Amino acid sequence: AQSVTQLGSHVSVSEGALVLLRCNYSSSVPPYLFWYVQYPNQGLQLLLKYTTGATLVKGINGFEAEFKKSETSFHLTKPSAHMSDAAEYFCAVSDRNDMRFGAGTRLTVKP
Amino acid sequence: DARVTQTPRHKVTEMGQEVTMRCQPILGHNTVFWYRQTMMQGLELLAYFRNRAPLDDSGMPKDRFSAEMPDATLATLKIQPSEPRDSAVYFCASGLDRSYGYTFGSGTRLTVV
């Protein structure tokens, strides 16, 4: 069975600082991996995805993530945080047909 | 931009009443998911369909929940009878397959009193 673990339910960074949100997965087959962002009272928006090929994937709003099979990780990074990045971020894994989410990480950006 | 449409956006109902939530997937998308989001449980997968056929509904309480796709433009999630513990935000998502990712609707916020 596939599953996702997001380390840290809350992450706080200063504006301009590096953002690092951690995600580890388990899957019985090569996984497809996703990061979604959720702003208050809204649905989830796809930030980026890894399917096959290049292990470093770039997404919207300056975010990127690297798939590391040996570490079963797919951490999300952004070099410089903006106030508008404050939101909840979800990592998800799909190993066949469905998609399962981690518990989410709430990102706070301090001025 | 194409979007997934969910109705109603908000629903307040009394315990024991029937609740129906609707989802219009993006035209051409053949996969539809239903998720429930709560503070305690996070995002739970309730059911999903491909080409209107249910692939998995093991995440749903079978005695009170049902999900259907009467046609390619409509997915429904029904709760009968509703209970206070069903209070949550219910999301629908649609897509072609996992290679493309899935698009979420804005959700239905259900409150059962």
Side-chain angles (χ1 to χ4, degrees), chain A residues 13-69:
Chain A
V13 301
S14 297
E15 192 173 18
L18 171 72
V19 175
L20 170 61
L21 305 183
R22 299 179 188 273
C23 172
N24 288 88
Y25 70 91
S26 68
S27 177
S28 57
V29 299
Y32 286 14
L33 296 159
F34 308 87
W35 276 100
Y36 281 83
V37 60
Q38 185 180 31
Y39 299 100
N41 300 314
Q42 295 186 24
L44 281 74
Q45 179 183 4
L46 181 64
L47 271 180
L48 49 80
K49 64 184 187 300
Y50 168 79
T51 55
T52 58
T55 56
L56 181 64
V57 294
K58 296 184 184 299
I60 61 172
N61 302 337
F63 284 93
E64 62 183 36
E66 186 171 12
F67 170 62
K68 292 187 177 181
K69 184 178 178 181

Side-chain angles (χ1 to χ4, degrees), chain A residues 29-32 34 36 38 41-46 49 51 88 90 94-103 106, chain B residues 9 31 33 35 37 39 42-43 45 48 50 55-56 58 91 93 97-107 109:
Chain A
V29 299
Y32 286 14
F34 308 87
Y36 281 83
Q38 185 180 31
N41 300 314
Q42 295 186 24
L44 281 74
Q45 179 183 4
L46 181 64
K49 64 184 187 300
T51 55
E88 184 131 23
F90 293 91
S94 174
D95 61 4
R96 288 189 177 86
N97 295 309
D98 64 5
M99 184 166 63
R100 308 275 173 170
F101 285 88
R106 183 168 299 279
Chain B
R9 287 296 311 275
T31 304
F33 294 92
Y35 289 91
Q37 186 177 36
M39 290 292 292
L43 279 159
L45 177 61
Y48 62 100
R50 177 154 296 153
L55 291 188
D56 189 347
S58 59
F91 287 104
D97 68 43
R98 61 191 187 131
S99 300
Y100 299 94
Y102 299 100
T103 302
F104 278 74
S106 298
R109 182 175 296 275

